[in-house]
């Protein structure tokens, strides 16, 4: 019998890539998504890649009654990977209540039904934003957390706390929080990738859209940081590498290999890359000279952060395999496919 895994937000960017990896590893993936920031057609493309069409239930996790009804029909779900959340940092500053309601109520509802129906395993989509600007780099999992600079970031911190407290109070619930650094790129098939709504906030979609001519120029937010070239430094990892980490984490819980009821892992490459280096990588893989301009700093930006992924390397047996250029190439291929209306 295939193990059934519930993927919330499974039609979204990271959720869809993870669903593909789960299916390819022999799991039965079922998706709950309210399609707020994604499209139902993603399941067709998952089907094209894997030969399997995962079940998609269009449902809002904030609706406890409907969620409960769904779980009652799928009592064989063994584990949950929880992606469904709002994720735009800037928007969260203007709509804090929407962010707290959506990101936290959905998590509380999910944990409630997991407890009610005895579903023991949860993998949570967290972020390196919980570290703020760390004093020591690369950042390890035991680095102190900093007060969040946006409601979005706070929902990740509070979300982690809610999960940890639940695992403390109920030994039947086991959870892993995965703190992502900066996921980029798309599936090598170019059938799934990031679908930003409107003007992208994140660097790589803005970069590829500028390369394609949809945006006039990329604005580089600051060149006066205390970094080698003055632009901010991040740890960009290929979304397929990130997706594979979820499969490893869910197997760890299912097989009972976890060392504690609640565990936290950094997921990154361990390499810091500046905005200007990311632009160079794009230029290398696309052959396009990118139009960009240095502008002032963006409010709330961290100067530099990259992961120490050694705990995940050792404990999960996971590491990133793709280089920056490989990941960037898939982001560019995806952008071209999207714009040629082949998707
Ligand atoms: C942010 C969040 C992170 C969240 C992620 C996805 C923080 C500190 N980080 O990451 O938690 O998971 O978004 O939504 O809140 N840049 C430009 N020009 C642009 C866009 C970006 O120069 O047009 C620069 C930024 O200044 C930054 C880097 O590119 O240095 C990466 O930015 P971005 O892709 O937005 O990710 P983060 O801010 O690192």
């Amino acid at each position: 019998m295939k193990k059934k895994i519930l993927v919330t937000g499974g039609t979204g960017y990271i959720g869809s890539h993870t669903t593909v990896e789960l299916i390819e590893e022999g799991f039965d993936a079922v998706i709950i998504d309210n399609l707020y920031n994604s499209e139902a057609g993603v399941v067709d493309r998952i089907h094209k890649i894997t030969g399997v069409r995962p079940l998609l239930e269009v449902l809002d996790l904030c609706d406890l009654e409907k969620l409960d009804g769904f779980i009652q029909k799928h009592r064989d779900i063994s584990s949950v990977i929880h992606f469904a959340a709002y994720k735009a940092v800037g928007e969260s500053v203007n709509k804090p209540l929407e962010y707290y309601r959506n990101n936290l109520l959905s998590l509380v509802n999910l944990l409630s039904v997991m407890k009610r129906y005895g579903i023991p395993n949860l993998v949570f989509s967290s972020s390196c934003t919980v570290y703020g600007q760390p004093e020591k780099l690369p950042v390890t999992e035991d680095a102190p957390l900093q007060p969040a600079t946006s409601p979005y970031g706070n929902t990740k911190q509070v979300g982690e706390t809610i999960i940890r407290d639940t695992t403390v109070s109920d030994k039947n619930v086991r959870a892993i929080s995965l703190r992502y650094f900066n996921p980029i790129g798309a599936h090598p098939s170019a059938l799934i990738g990031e679908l930003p709504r409107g003007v992208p906030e994140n660097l790589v979609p803005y970069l590829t859209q500028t390369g394609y001519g949809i945006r006039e120029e990329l604005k580089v937010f600051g060149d006066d940081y205390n970094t080698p070239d003055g632009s901010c430094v991040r740890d960009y990892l290929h979304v397929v590498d990130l997706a594979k980490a979820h499969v490893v984490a869910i197997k760890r819980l299912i097989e009972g290999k976890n060392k504690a009821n609640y565990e936290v892992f950094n997921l990154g490459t361990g390499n810091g890359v500046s905005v200007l280096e990311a632009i160079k990588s794009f230029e290398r893989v696309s052959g396009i000279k990118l139009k960009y301009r240095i502008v002032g700093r963006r409010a709330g930006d961290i100067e530099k952060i990259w992961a120490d992924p050694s705990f995940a390397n050792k404990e999960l047996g996971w590491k990133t395999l793709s280089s920056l250029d490989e990941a960037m190439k898939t982001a560019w291929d995806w952008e071209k496919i999207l714009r040629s209306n082949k998707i």
Side-chain angles (χ1 to χ4, degrees), residues 73 75 123 160 180 279 326:
K73 281 194 278 165
R75 293 297 298 274
V123 171
E160 283 198 16
Y180 315 152
I279 293 174
E326 283 163 344

PDB file of all heavy atoms in Angstrom, residues 73 75 123 160 180 279 326:
ATOM      1  N   LYS A  73     -13.008  11.523   5.022  1.00  0.00           N
ATOM      2  CA  LYS A  73     -13.081  10.694   3.797  1.00  0.00           C
ATOM      3  C   LYS A  73     -11.728  10.069   3.451  1.00  0.00           C
ATOM      4  O   LYS A  73     -11.639   9.215   2.590  1.00  0.00           O
ATOM      5  CB  LYS A  73     -13.539  11.569   2.613  1.00  0.00           C
ATOM      6  CG  LYS A  73     -15.042  11.807   2.602  1.00  0.00           C
ATOM      7  CD  LYS A  73     -15.494  12.364   1.262  1.00  0.00           C
ATOM      8  CE  LYS A  73     -15.254  13.863   1.236  1.00  0.00           C
ATOM      9  NZ  LYS A  73     -15.301  14.552   0.010  1.00  0.00           N
ATOM     10  N   ARG A  75      -9.196   8.709   5.709  1.00  0.00           N
ATOM     11  CA  ARG A  75      -8.662   8.324   7.016  1.00  0.00           C
ATOM     12  C   ARG A  75      -7.306   7.647   6.908  1.00  0.00           C
ATOM     13  O   ARG A  75      -6.625   7.413   7.902  1.00  0.00           O
ATOM     14  CB  ARG A  75      -9.665   7.411   7.752  1.00  0.00           C
ATOM     15  CG  ARG A  75     -10.948   8.102   8.145  1.00  0.00           C
ATOM     16  CD  ARG A  75     -10.716   9.224   9.136  1.00  0.00           C
ATOM     17  NE  ARG A  75     -10.137   8.759  10.387  1.00  0.00           N
ATOM     18  CZ  ARG A  75     -10.827   8.288  11.411  1.00  0.00           C
ATOM     19  NH1 ARG A  75     -12.134   8.235  11.338  1.00  0.00           N
ATOM     20  NH2 ARG A  75     -10.224   7.868  12.507  1.00  0.00           N
ATOM     21  N   VAL A 123       5.301  18.000   8.323  1.00  0.00           N
ATOM     22  CA  VAL A 123       6.469  18.765   7.865  1.00  0.00           C
ATOM     23  C   VAL A 123       5.979  20.175   7.540  1.00  0.00           C
ATOM     24  O   VAL A 123       4.997  20.344   6.809  1.00  0.00           O
ATOM     25  CB  VAL A 123       7.140  18.109   6.640  1.00  0.00           C
ATOM     26  CG1 VAL A 123       8.213  19.025   6.050  1.00  0.00           C
ATOM     27  CG2 VAL A 123       7.762  16.770   7.031  1.00  0.00           C
ATOM     28  N   GLU A 160       5.934  28.022  13.939  1.00  0.00           N
ATOM     29  CA  GLU A 160       6.879  27.052  14.515  1.00  0.00           C
ATOM     30  C   GLU A 160       6.572  26.821  16.000  1.00  0.00           C
ATOM     31  O   GLU A 160       6.626  25.691  16.492  1.00  0.00           O
ATOM     32  CB  GLU A 160       8.318  27.556  14.371  1.00  0.00           C
ATOM     33  CG  GLU A 160       8.893  27.402  12.972  1.00  0.00           C
ATOM     34  CD  GLU A 160      10.435  27.490  12.979  1.00  0.00           C
ATOM     35  OE1 GLU A 160      11.048  27.371  14.058  1.00  0.00           O
ATOM     36  OE2 GLU A 160      11.009  27.675  11.886  1.00  0.00           O
ATOM     37  N   TYR A 180      13.638  27.275   4.966  1.00  0.00           N
ATOM     38  CA  TYR A 180      14.201  27.453   3.627  1.00  0.00           C
ATOM     39  C   TYR A 180      14.992  28.743   3.561  1.00  0.00           C
ATOM     40  O   TYR A 180      14.568  29.760   4.065  1.00  0.00           O
ATOM     41  CB  TYR A 180      13.115  27.601   2.552  1.00  0.00           C
ATOM     42  CG  TYR A 180      11.957  26.654   2.597  1.00  0.00           C
ATOM     43  CD1 TYR A 180      10.721  27.062   2.092  1.00  0.00           C
ATOM     44  CD2 TYR A 180      12.061  25.368   3.105  1.00  0.00           C
ATOM     45  CE1 TYR A 180       9.630  26.221   2.089  1.00  0.00           C
ATOM     46  CE2 TYR A 180      10.970  24.523   3.109  1.00  0.00           C
ATOM     47  CZ  TYR A 180       9.758  24.950   2.610  1.00  0.00           C
ATOM     48  OH  TYR A 180       8.667  24.117   2.610  1.00  0.00           O
ATOM     49  N   ILE A 279      22.775  38.282 -10.900  1.00  0.00           N
ATOM     50  CA  ILE A 279      22.571  38.882 -12.240  1.00  0.00           C
ATOM     51  C   ILE A 279      23.580  38.288 -13.225  1.00  0.00           C
ATOM     52  O   ILE A 279      23.222  37.918 -14.353  1.00  0.00           O
ATOM     53  CB  ILE A 279      22.716  40.422 -12.166  1.00  0.00           C
ATOM     54  CG1 ILE A 279      21.566  41.014 -11.350  1.00  0.00           C
ATOM     55  CG2 ILE A 279      22.788  41.041 -13.571  1.00  0.00           C
ATOM     56  CD1 ILE A 279      21.682  42.508 -11.076  1.00  0.00           C
ATOM     57  N   GLU A 326      22.758  26.294 -12.800  1.00  0.00           N
ATOM     58  CA  GLU A 326      21.762  25.284 -13.211  1.00  0.00           C
ATOM     59  C   GLU A 326      20.359  25.705 -12.778  1.00  0.00           C
ATOM     60  O   GLU A 326      19.398  25.605 -13.553  1.00  0.00           O
ATOM     61  CB  GLU A 326      22.104  23.919 -12.602  1.00  0.00           C
ATOM     62  CG  GLU A 326      23.252  23.225 -13.328  1.00  0.00           C
ATOM     63  CD  GLU A 326      23.876  22.085 -12.521  1.00  0.00           C
ATOM     64  OE1 GLU A 326      23.647  21.992 -11.293  1.00  0.00           O
ATOM     65  OE2 GLU A 326      24.622  21.302 -13.138  1.00  0.00           O
TER      66      GLU A 326
END
